[in-house]
Amino acid sequence: MKSKNNKLMYVSAAVLAAGAVAGVNTQNAHAAEVQKQANKNAAQKTIDQNQKDLIQTQDQLNKAQTEHDDAVRKTSDAQANVLTADSNNQSAQNVLANAQDQLKTAQDAQAKAQASYDASYENNVKSAQNNVNKANADVQTTQEQVNVQNAKQAEALNNQKGQEAALKTNTETLNKTNEEISKTQGQVEQAQKTYDDVNKAYQPVKAELDKQAKEAQDAQKAADENAKELTQAQNDLKTAQAKLNSDTEALNGAKSELSSKQKQASDLTSQRDQVAKDLQAAQTKMNTAKAELDTDKDAVVNTMVMPQVYKDTVKKWSHKTPTDDYYKEMEAASWIGWTQNEYKHNEAEKNHMVDLKHMSRADQIELNKFGIDLINQLRTQIGVDPWTFNESALDFANAIADRYVKDDWDSDANHHDSEAINELAHKYGLHSAMHRDGSFSKASQYYENMMTDRFGQTEPTYAQAQQMAKDYPNVDIHKEAYNVSLTYSHSQDDYNNRLDDMDHLKNQVYNAIKRFVFNYNEWLHAYGILSQDFFDYSAKGKNYAAISFSAKPTKDSFGFDDLQLHLSTYMNQWF
């Protein structure tokens, strides 16, 4: 099958051959329009002349055919007249012959009767007479018949004469007609010859005309097919154009998106380069601050959660006088908090040993960031401002820890070393409780929350407390979970030299904060750490905090080695 382009070229060729016959659509002709138009005009002129000659020849042929038809008709009429005359004459002859036959029959009968009479006259007179009578009657009848026949014969003779005259006339007419026929036949032959000549000359023209008409018909058929395909092509073009428009929109959108993506890629490249620089700087900083990063890592692992029931209970009893119901409800809410929060150990840090009598600044900072972060998790959950750790706060907390060691303070027996704390606060420019004589109060202080543990021991986990309750049914799990201490494994040398691992020290920090907040019988420490109730003046604004450790040089009044955790806080305007 030809392609559409080939078919269009074929139609153009047919149009050039047949001209503009039948309104052939030549809109698809592609080249040399001027030359094609000239060829078309020449072909049209030839066709017009041939058409004119054909019409003239056809007129001549029609005239000759008419003359031929008239001559044939006249000949037919003359022949019909002759045949009619012959028929009439034959009829007259037949009538005459019949009359003559009847007359002869009558005459024969008469002669027979006469002979019969002569022979039998004597013997059969009567019979003969009867026969004569009969014969006479027959003769009479016959004579009548003869008369009739004679009349008919006369009439026939007369008719014969008329017929003969008519025959003569008709013969003359026939002869004349024959002459006319002969003359007309000559004309017909001449007309036939003319017709044949014209027809002979017409046939090539007719053949050419038929050929041109067929070519024009084929061209028209091809043109119709092309028109159909052109319509289909136009529809396909519209569809393609619509798709092209859609694709163009998509392309423009893609280009726009590509441009946006390229810009993003460029921005990301710049960001990547900047990140690479920042990463290098961070890598350098990480190499010099590994302890800080480790602390941050641990803070992510260990979290502190404030139960909603604890928040609701504190809110319910805020600024109210405590009653038995208060203690029961706070104990119940605190127990939920205690069971939901548990320290997660770091096995690697168990190999990191810390000298509690000579703790490094890096170890102190790591423990402080760990502890202050836990406190701030709780403060954030109840909507108060976080505390801030800084070097000055750590110096103040270390000064308090050193004073406890110097004073060999028995915190289990005497609680806070308030006189030393007030003296140090005054030295650091903080508000302190003083008497009029300039001595410092031993009864109260404003800065320290303290937790005293036994060195080398730790409190039980919730699972361990549950097991104790199973083993000793009479044990109050709430109270014993807070007061029972379990030993952990360290060498005697470590114990004697007050060496502890970083994991356990962080566990002590975690448990101290946990007991401050989720205690079983008092919540002043909790209110102080979380800035609640009458400590709410420190809920907003800048507040500083730091943690320090001290190991009592001698055993306490109960015969234990104390490990004391000091959490020191103060407001910005006090420092």
Side-chain angles (χ1 to χ4, degrees):
M1 182 178 178
K2 293 182 179 179
S3 67
K4 292 183 179 180
N5 290 336
N6 290 336
K7 190 169 289 185
L8 291 174
M9 293 174 65
Y10 172 77
V11 171
S12 299
V15 171
L16 290 176
V21 178
V24 175
N25 187 355
T26 62
Q27 65 180 354
N28 294 319
H30 298 294
E33 289 296 331
V34 176
Q35 183 61 39
K36 288 182 180 180
Q37 188 63 40
N39 293 340
K40 176 181 175 183
N41 294 337
Q44 186 63 48
K45 184 175 182 182
T46 300
I47 291 173
D48 292 343
Q49 184 61 43
N50 289 341
Q51 189 72 28
K52 183 177 180 182
D53 294 342
L54 176 62
I55 293 172
Q56 184 176 359
T57 302
Q58 188 68 47
D59 291 341
Q60 293 176 356
L61 179 61
N62 293 338
K63 182 177 180 182
Q65 186 67 42
T66 300
E67 292 176 353
H68 173 269
D69 293 342
D70 289 341
V72 170
R73 182 176 56 75
K74 290 179 180 180
T75 301
S76 298
D77 292 343
Q79 289 176 341
N81 292 332
V82 170
L83 293 174
T84 301
D86 286 342
S87 176
N88 293 333
N89 183 49
Q90 185 63 38
S91 297
Q93 291 290 339
N94 291 335
V95 171
L96 179 61
N98 290 332
Q100 288 175 344
D101 290 340
Q102 292 175 3
L103 178 62
K104 184 175 181 306
T105 300
Q107 288 174 344
D108 291 341
Q110 184 179 10
K112 183 178 179 181
Q114 186 65 43
S116 299
Y117 176 78
D118 289 343
S120 62
Y121 182 75
E122 291 181 354
N123 300 320
N124 300 306
V125 174
K126 189 176 178 178
S127 178
Q129 187 61 47
N130 290 335
N131 290 332
V132 168
N133 292 335
K134 185 176 182 303
N136 286 334
D138 293 335
V139 168
Q140 182 65 35
T141 301
T142 302
Q143 187 61 49
E144 290 177 356
Q145 293 176 350
V146 169
N147 290 335
V148 172
Q149 293 298 326
N150 286 333
K152 290 181 178 180
Q153 183 178 9
E155 183 179 357
L157 289 174
N158 290 330
N159 290 334
Q160 181 180 4
K161 289 180 181 179
Q163 293 294 329
E164 288 176 349
L167 178 61
K168 180 180 179 181
T169 301
N170 290 334
T171 302
E172 291 176 352
T173 301
L174 178 61
N175 292 334
K176 185 176 180 181
T177 299
N178 286 334
E179 290 178 358
E180 290 294 331
I181 288 173
S182 178
K183 181 178 179 181
T184 302
Q185 187 65 37
Q187 293 175 351
V188 169
E189 291 176 355
Q190 181 62 37
Q192 185 66 44
K193 183 177 183 301
T194 302
Y195 173 79
D196 293 340
D197 292 341
V198 171
N199 190 48
K200 183 178 180 181
Y202 168 70
Q203 289 306 317
V205 176
K206 184 175 182 299
E208 180 65 23
L209 184 62
D210 291 344
K211 178 182 177 183
Q212 294 177 356
K214 186 176 183 304
E215 291 177 348
Q217 185 178 4
D218 292 342
Q220 183 61 43
K221 182 178 179 181
D224 293 341
E225 185 176 353
N226 275 341
K228 183 188 292 184
E229 293 187 359
L230 178 61
T231 300
Q232 183 61 42
Q234 289 174 339
N235 292 334
D236 293 343
L237 178 61
K238 290 180 180 178
T239 301
Q241 187 64 45
K243 188 175 184 303
L244 177 61
N245 293 338
S246 177
D247 291 344
T248 300
E249 290 183 8
L251 178 60
N252 291 335
K255 287 181 178 179
S256 177
E257 185 176 359
L258 176 61
S259 177
S260 177
K261 294 296 184 184
Q262 288 175 337
K263 184 177 184 302
Q264 291 179 9
S266 177
D267 293 342
L268 289 174
T269 300
S270 299
Q271 293 177 13
R272 181 197 63 192
D273 294 341
Q274 183 60 43
V275 168
K277 294 178 181 178
D278 294 342
L279 180 60
Q280 183 62 38
Q283 187 67 37
T284 302
K285 185 176 180 180
M286 182 188 70
N287 292 335
T288 59
K290 186 177 181 301
E292 294 183 17
L293 292 177
D294 291 339
T295 302
D296 292 340
K297 176 186 67 176
D298 291 336
V300 173
V301 172
N302 283 281
T303 58
M304 195 74 72
V305 178
M306 174 70 73
Q308 185 62 44
V309 64
Y310 188 98
K311 299 178 188 177
D312 295 340
T313 303
V314 171
K315 183 177 181 181
K316 174 183 177 181
W317 290 97
S318 179
H319 299 290
K320 293 181 180 179
T321 301
T323 65
D324 290 340
D325 289 337
Y326 165 78
Y327 287 103
K328 290 178 182 179
E329 291 177 16
M330 286 300 297
E331 180 184 358
S334 296
W335 176 245
I336 293 174
W338 193 92
T339 60
Q340 289 183 354
N341 293 280
E342 192 160 288
Y343 177 75
K344 298 178 180 61
H345 291 275
N346 187 325
E347 294 298 321
E349 291 187 339
K350 289 182 178 180
N351 297 320
H352 180 183
M353 302 305 293
V354 178
D355 184 353
L356 291 173
K357 294 187 292 185
H358 307 91
M359 190 180 296
S360 70
R361 191 75 169 182
D363 289 340
Q364 289 178 335
I365 292 174
E366 183 174 350
L367 288 168
N368 268 271
K369 288 190 174 181
F370 176 79
I372 301 303
D373 178 70
L374 291 174
I375 294 172
N376 284 337
Q377 289 180 37
L378 295 172
R379 290 178 66 88
T380 300
Q381 290 174 58
I382 63 174
V384 298
D385 290 346
W387 281 351
T388 301
F389 165 76
N390 64 10
E391 298 284 336
S392 297
L394 180 58
D395 290 340
F396 181 56
N398 284 337
I400 293 175
D402 291 340
R403 185 65 177 266
Y404 269 69
V405 172
K406 180 181 178 180
D407 293 341
D408 194 16
W409 190 260
D410 189 350
S411 54
D412 252 354
N414 303 313
H415 304 296
H416 298 283
D417 190 356
S418 298
E419 184 179 14
I421 294 171
N422 285 319
E423 181 183 342
L424 291 171
H426 181 74
K427 178 179 179 180
Y428 277 86
L430 299 173
H431 176 72
S432 62
M434 298 177 63
H435 298 296
R436 291 183 178 179
D437 60 359
S439 62
F440 297 99
S441 173
K442 296 179 182 181
S444 63
Q445 52 82 35
Y446 308 107
Y447 304 105
E448 182 185 71
N449 288 281
M450 185 180 67
M451 182 66 65
T452 302
D453 287 314
R454 295 169 182 174
F455 184 76
Q457 296 182 8
T458 188
E459 69 181 26
T461 63
Y462 180 40
Q464 291 169 334
Q466 288 176 312
Q467 187 62 45
M468 286 189 299
K470 291 180 181 179
D471 295 339
Y472 306 99
N474 294 326
V475 170
D476 185 340
I477 188 173
H478 291 199
K479 294 180 180 179
E480 297 305 321
Y482 290 97
N483 296 321
V484 172
S485 297
L486 303 177
T487 60
Y488 61 97
S489 178
H490 273 306
S491 70
Q492 189 61 45
D493 287 340
D494 289 342
Y495 186 91
N496 293 336
N497 294 315
R498 300 297 187 264
L499 299 179
D500 206 350
D501 62 85
M502 180 63 75
D503 177 70
H504 180 253
L505 290 174
K506 287 183 177 178
N507 191 3
Q508 293 291 75
V509 172
Y510 190 96
N511 289 342
I513 297 171
K514 177 178 172 181
R515 279 181 284 172
F516 282 151
V517 177
F518 304 116
N519 209 308
Y520 75 99
N521 64 355
E522 68 84 26
W523 293 274
L524 291 177
H525 290 87
Y527 290 177
I529 289 176
L530 301 179
S531 301
Q532 294 173 309
D533 206 351
F534 48 86
F535 291 101
D536 57 5
Y537 60 85
S538 60
K540 301 295 181 182
K542 204 77 165 180
N543 288 271
Y544 294 92
I547 298 172
S548 62
F549 285 91
S550 63
K552 187 177 183 301
T554 63
K555 295 183 183 299
D556 63 15
S557 57
F558 299 100
F560 297 104
D561 295 313
D562 290 342
L563 178 64
Q564 300 152 335
L565 182 147
H566 311 272
L567 174 60
S568 302
T569 61
Y570 53 86
M571 298 182 66
N572 185 40
Q573 62 267 31
W574 290 356
F575 195 80

